[in-house]
Amino acid sequence: MRIYLSKFAIIICLTLIFPPPTLCLKSAVNVWPKPRLVSWPKPLARFLSVNFTIDSPYHLHLAPAVTRYLALIRTEHYHPLITPSVNVSVSVPPLQTLSINITDLAVPLQHGVNETYSLSISEVGEKAYLIAETAWGAMRGLETFSQLVWGDASAIPVGLYIWDAPLFAHRGVMLDTSRNYYEVEDILRTIEVMCANKVNVFHWHITDSQSFPLMVPSEPELAAKGSYGPDMIYSPSDVAKIVQFGLEHGVRILPEIDSPGHTGSWAEAYPEIVACANMFWLPPGIAWADRLASEPGTGHLNPLNQKTYKVLENIICDVSNLFPETFYHGGVDEINPGCWKADPTIQSFLSNGGTLGQLLEKFINSTLPYIISVNRTVVYWEDVLLDDVVKVDPSFLPREHTILQTWNNGSNNTKKIVQAGYQTIVSSSEFYYLDCGHGDFLGNDSLYDPQTIGRDPKDGKSWCDPFKAWQTIYNYDITYGLSEDEAKLVLGGEVVLWSEQVDPTVLDGKLWPRTSAMAETLWSGNRDEGGRKRSGEATDRLNEWRYRMVSRGVKAEPIQPLWCIKNPGMCNASPFT
Amino acid sequence: MRIYLSKFAIIICLTLIFPPPTLCLKSAVNVWPKPRLVSWPKPLARFLSVNFTIDSPYHLHLAPAVTRYLALIRTEHYHPLITPSVNVSVSVPPLQTLSINITDLAVPLQHGVNETYSLSISEVGEKAYLIAETAWGAMRGLETFSQLVWGDASAIPVGLYIWDAPLFAHRGVMLDTSRNYYEVEDILRTIEVMCANKVNVFHWHITDSQSFPLMVPSEPELAAKGSYGPDMIYSPSDVAKIVQFGLEHGVRILPEIDSPGHTGSWAEAYPEIVACANMFWLPPGIAWADRLASEPGTGHLNPLNQKTYKVLENIICDVSNLFPETFYHGGVDEINPGCWKADPTIQSFLSNGGTLGQLLEKFINSTLPYIISVNRTVVYWEDVLLDDVVKVDPSFLPREHTILQTWNNGSNNTKKIVQAGYQTIVSSSEFYYLDCGHGDFLGNDSLYDPQTIGRDPKDGKSWCDPFKAWQTIYNYDITYGLSEDEAKLVLGGEVVLWSEQVDPTVLDGKLWPRTSAMAETLWSGNRDEGGRKRSGEATDRLNEWRYRMVSRGVKAEPIQPLWCIKNPGMCNASPFT
């Protein structure tokens, strides 16, 4: 990150050389995620003018953000749970303007874009200043500014200087819209809250074995037959709306078309390209390793059928037209040997000496070059390289075009991936899977029959128990165990929400505020200036932020009894030392 | 249950002697909870007249229910996920009227009230018949009737006869409104959904250590100082509204004023009667057994202070005036010796040879007679008799006036209670605690620090892990291990929702459809006619019922991907045998 040359550069340097009395952000300035550097020597505040305005250079996507934030700042009037212990000056004229200065207005929203900003609110004068390298950084600063404002007569801390930039470039939420469907409005609301948490990638796991809800213009039958119904399809204009909304919130929309596994729904349109479709997922008497799918909903694309690639090329082409995002997620998780083996042509290939790995290599070799040809970097789940049985030789995965998303085995697999020389996105199911700890969804399960306590320990557990509490997420260091060089290959992380037992009715509570926990860890870390975990201090601040999200219309779940924030420190496991 | 004398008695007897071709309720008639007896020999249906009406004798509380159900039946037009495979006759004139006949209109809503009803919808004729012993049974029948209706042009199965009555008289939901506050509207909505599930007791855990949200007219300071704020208090008119709403839905409102433990919030008004209030709950260096509270929020009433009883008498008197319900829940769970021992007067009592048990006996003996004197049956948590350390001799708990609610140790404690001769309400935390499996809420907890998988098994777990899936709840038999005579002492059960990590934002999804699982088990059981667990069949039916609840405005969470109900049986753990 380049330090920009401005009058604030001097301040930054000074603050780095002579650390100012950087107070903890007390209750008046509960910014989430916590900025990297905050200087607020005196607990002073002033009012915002009722005619407060934002002065910004014109930028196509920033302009609606400015309009949005101006309305929010003018109307929110948030009442913190703990009354701020600051002096709001009545002798100073109210703040009239937030003036935005942007170094380079032309930078597009893409991976690695500079999100640095600084915010300076002085004790006097008409203007506060937000300075950013890019329009996207300015959006981050606007959010911070909005969180600083509180009260019926809007007040804001003054004598305040913030310098801020993310530790990790990729901070995402993965949502599965195949197992259960979400309305466009649910996705837009999610993007809006992501923006408020400075989370910048919406990884859209659009399709899976259960349904194919994306209208692909050149392959319309896929959604027409494979979706849950005509009212549960994302049209090209829906996608355009979501992409546009993402741009106005600084959130990239990263599409995933999972294949060759997780494609049962494709068989509704093209049964000929899908192996083992519409079969019972776990036939009686077969071993777990031979199951036809990881869960109900069978079907894998057949790599030996040329039509598979024709359909996929059409999809990749259309998706790359629908989504400006330069990453394309191709899936390749959880290939079940039992499914491929159930197909006669594949059986024949295998009995002639072919291997499952070769089948996958053929699949990758027939699709990855096409993805690259449309100027996309591919993201695959780690399985493509690390699966025990069905994986490819690394030579099939060019490192300059391939990112691997890790989900198994905690930091061990992160290390394996970066040691193999690949960039990675961390979504460890041990820490970042938001659907865990909610039982199993199968019907007719005799595991639930026993009446005594201390029964089968699997009873009532999900495969990735326990529930990932916000503390679990907050405390996870995604580069744990890596060398400095290895850590550079970690682009960031994504919390993941699979939808077997989730749909719009409970979406907000599943995502928030747990995603906020990841948001702060990936933005500014989880440690204080002394290098100690700040999860104790973060508890009260997250509590406050959760209530503010609720007041903004998000059904974020509570993390504690209200009593806890009203009695700071009293709900800790042990007192602060 | 007395078989009422009517023309239907003959039919009942015939169906018991010569079982009719009792078909499974197919997709057209997804009633939840499943009625006890359904005769529907042919898959026929007819339309409801657009002028359909309900003809009912006048009853103060039934009248609004009739109005409500009539509006629902006329306007719901529910579309089942699976199109019913029935013939809707167009040649028969539409059904004009549901005629209600009630044997005894004077019976009040109280424990053990007769909820039996029968419903007869013939293939021809203008009227269908709902016959019930009481107005409360008629409300159950109205709900069943409403669930039978579906489609744009409302249709209903015909040639249908249902006889129905609950297996257990007490079917409840406990909600904790102290740790986090709920608006009156949230409580009313919950009661409405309870009614739709034939759940008939709202156990209102009103107060606890965190807040005292009930305005007690003779002790106004308790709420004025002990609530979370003036906008988070239930006034007498709020209570009256909730009680009235309960009556109109056949739901009893059972108040709990937990004491002598869980009373930290009382100290805001009366510090002199509360031991160990406002202390850190787990002082460094002390053993777990010596903790001051089971969780943050300390304070136990002091049994040696006479003012304790003056305040309690005022509360009991006012609560018995506010709530017509004849059960009064007195709490008495989780008394922490460490808290009482922290009080100087109690220390003195103990060092003079007094015991903790004697303290509790003094408390019970100074309050229970007063509760009985206002014509209430008392409910206590099991701890009063079964706690390892602080418990009373059974002679202090008259069996004719005392019910014990069990929550620990599964069916073992149920057995202990009934073997001691007490009636019981089952709320086993192993099966019926809806808040479990959601991590811990403490701040500053080093348990969350480790970065490797396979870390401390407590990390991220709640004390009552795992999450109680609907299957866990559905499959639990609350009289497991009891003799026939012992089982008669089991009044029923309650699912329990503690609110450390719950508030209105996520209430519906926590309660529903998991409470529906208990509702069916306690109403008609969890076994088919052959005595086998019907959880496989119940999955699809509960799925359908969950979607219907959502369409009625309840944010019930999904139990499966939508794919599962569209592909019946395919999401089972194993195929039906």
Side-chain angles (χ1 to χ4, degrees), chain A residues 135-173:
Chain A
W136 321 106
M139 288 186 195
R140 306 295 166 241
L142 282 167
E143 176 60 38
T144 298
F145 189 91
S146 79
Q147 292 187 28
L148 290 169
V149 178
W150 88 96
D152 283 333
S154 302
I156 192 161
V158 294
L160 175 79
Y161 174 75
I162 289 175
W163 177 87
D164 209 6
L167 291 172
F168 292 93
H170 190 110
R171 308 175 305 280
V173 169

Side-chain angles (χ1 to χ4, degrees), chain A residues 199-472:
Chain A
V199 174
N200 64 354
V201 182
F202 180 71
H203 169 180
W204 188 359
H205 182 91
I206 311 176
T207 64
D208 210 296
S209 274
Q210 287 73 21
S211 76
F212 194 109
L214 181 68
M215 177 51 62
V216 177
S218 61
E219 295 286 357
E221 294 297 291
L222 286 166
K225 296 182 174 171
S227 73
Y228 279 142
D231 55 341
M232 291 192 264
I233 292 174
Y234 303 107
S235 69
S237 68
D238 289 336
V239 172
K241 190 173 181 182
I242 290 167
V243 167
Q244 175 71 15
F245 197 84
L247 286 165
E248 293 173 3
H249 289 76
V251 175
R252 298 154 51 203
I253 314 297
L254 196 174
E256 176 182 357
I257 305 294
D258 199 351
S259 65
H262 293 280
T263 50
S265 60
W266 303 36
E268 302 303 313
Y270 298 120
E272 65 275 24
I273 67 171
V274 185
C276 99
N278 291 313
M279 295 174 71
F280 189 75
W281 71 290
L282 187 63
I286 72 156
W288 178 247
D290 295 325
R291 67 196 181 278
L292 302 187
S294 297
E295 68 180 17
T298 57
H300 287 12
L301 294 183
N302 184 342
L304 299 178
N305 187 327
Q306 275 312 111
K307 184 164 179 190
T308 292
Y309 304 115
K310 181 65 197 143
V311 172
L312 263 171
E313 281 195 9
N314 285 336
I315 292 174
I316 294 163
C317 178
D318 280 359
V319 166
S320 71
N321 285 328
L322 288 168
F323 295 85
E325 168 60 27
T326 60
F327 289 4
Y328 173 96
H329 203 306
V332 195
D333 55 325
E334 296 191 307
I335 293 171
N336 300 107
C339 180
W340 269 351
K341 287 178 182 170
D343 182 88
T345 61
I346 295 176
Q347 271 171 17
S348 167
F349 172 83
L350 294 173
S351 53
N352 286 325
T355 67
L356 293 163
Q358 285 168 351
L359 279 172
L360 187 58
E361 286 172 348
K362 179 173 173 51
F363 178 84
I364 295 294
N365 223 22
S366 305
T367 51
L368 180 52
Y370 189 75
I371 297 169
I372 295 170
S373 80
V374 295
N375 294 314
R376 293 295 184 272
T377 299
V378 77
V379 188
Y380 290 136
W381 295 100
E382 62 177 20
D383 313 48
V384 69
L385 187 71
L386 300 182
D387 188 81
D388 287 338
V389 180
V390 193
K391 61 186 166 188
V392 306
D393 187 86
S395 62
F396 286 82
L397 302 172
R399 287 169 180 77
E400 68 276 24
H401 296 299
T402 310
I403 296 163
L404 298 181
Q405 185 164 8
T406 178
W407 63 285
N408 285 301
N409 210 16
S411 57
N412 303 319
N413 279 10
T414 310
K415 189 152 185 106
K416 278 186 192 171
I417 291 166
V418 296
Q419 285 191 327
Y422 292 96
Q423 294 186 307
T424 189
I425 296 163
V426 175
S427 293
S428 166
S429 55
E430 281 274 341
F431 297 91
Y432 277 6
Y433 267 34
L434 300 181
D435 52 309
C436 298
H438 207 73
D440 209 337
F441 71 90
L442 300 176
N444 200 32
D445 194 341
S446 59
L447 267 181
Y448 289 102
D449 279 344
Q451 301 296 308
T452 50
I453 57 173
R455 49 207 196 285
D456 186 321
K458 276 192 191 163
D459 178 1
K461 292 190 180 178
S462 59
W463 69 270
C464 52
D465 249 39
F467 175 82
K468 309 312 167 200
W470 78 265
Q471 302 98 313
T472 300

Side-chain angles (χ1 to χ4, degrees), chain A residues 179-181 209-211 228-229 232 278-284 295-298 408-412 428 430-431 436-446 448-455 457 459-461 465-472 475-478 480 499-506 509-510 514 526-527 533 535-537 539 546-547 550 554-564 566-567 569-577, chain B residues 179-181 209-211 228-229 232 278-284 295-298 408-412 428 430-431 436-446 448-455 457 459-461 465-472 475-478 480 499-506 509-510 514 526-527 533 535-537 539 546-547 550 554-564 566-567 569-577:
Chain A
R179 290 180 175 85
N180 279 310
Y181 180 80
S209 274
Q210 287 73 21
S211 76
Y228 279 142
M232 291 192 264
N278 291 313
M279 295 174 71
F280 189 75
W281 71 290
L282 187 63
E295 68 180 17
T298 57
N408 285 301
N409 210 16
S411 57
N412 303 319
S428 166
E430 281 274 341
F431 297 91
C436 298
H438 207 73
D440 209 337
F441 71 90
L442 300 176
N444 200 32
D445 194 341
S446 59
Y448 289 102
D449 279 344
Q451 301 296 308
T452 50
I453 57 173
R455 49 207 196 285
D459 178 1
K461 292 190 180 178
D465 249 39
F467 175 82
K468 309 312 167 200
W470 78 265
Q471 302 98 313
T472 300
N475 281 295
Y476 189 47
D477 297 318
I478 61 171
Y480 176 79
S499 293
E500 283 88 348
Q501 298 163 304
V502 185
D503 74 4
T505 54
V506 292
K510 291 281 174 187
R514 292 188 293 160
N526 55 21
R527 292 173 187 277
K533 282 280 171 77
S535 41
E537 175 269 333
T539 305
R546 178 265 169 183
Y547 277 92
V550 171
V554 185
K555 299 278 185 191
E557 67 177 10
I559 62 171
Q560 290 187 325
L562 183 56
W563 187 86
C564 295
K566 289 176 177 280
N567 295 272
M570 291 289 273
C571 286
N572 285 337
S574 52
F576 283 117
T577 49
Chain B
R179 291 180 175 84
N180 280 309
Y181 180 80
S209 274
Q210 287 73 22
S211 75
Y228 280 142
M232 291 192 264
N278 291 314
M279 295 175 71
F280 189 77
W281 71 290
L282 186 64
E295 68 179 18
T298 56
N408 285 302
N409 210 15
S411 57
N412 303 319
S428 165
E430 281 274 339
F431 297 91
C436 299
H438 207 75
D440 209 337
F441 71 90
L442 301 175
N444 201 33
D445 194 341
S446 58
Y448 289 102
D449 279 345
Q451 302 295 307
T452 50
I453 57 173
R455 48 207 197 286
D459 178 1
K461 292 190 180 175
D465 248 38
F467 175 82
K468 310 311 167 200
W470 79 265
Q471 301 99 312
T472 301
N475 281 294
Y476 189 47
D477 297 318
I478 62 171
Y480 176 80
S499 294
E500 283 88 348
Q501 298 164 304
V502 185
D503 75 3
T505 55
V506 293
K510 291 279 175 189
R514 292 189 293 159
N526 55 20
R527 293 173 188 276
K533 281 282 172 74
S535 42
E537 176 270 332
T539 305
R546 178 264 169 184
Y547 276 92
V550 171
V554 186
K555 299 278 185 192
E557 67 177 10
I559 62 171
Q560 290 187 324
L562 184 54
W563 187 86
C564 295
K566 290 176 177 280
N567 294 271
M570 292 288 273
C571 287
N572 285 336
S574 53
F576 284 117
T577 50

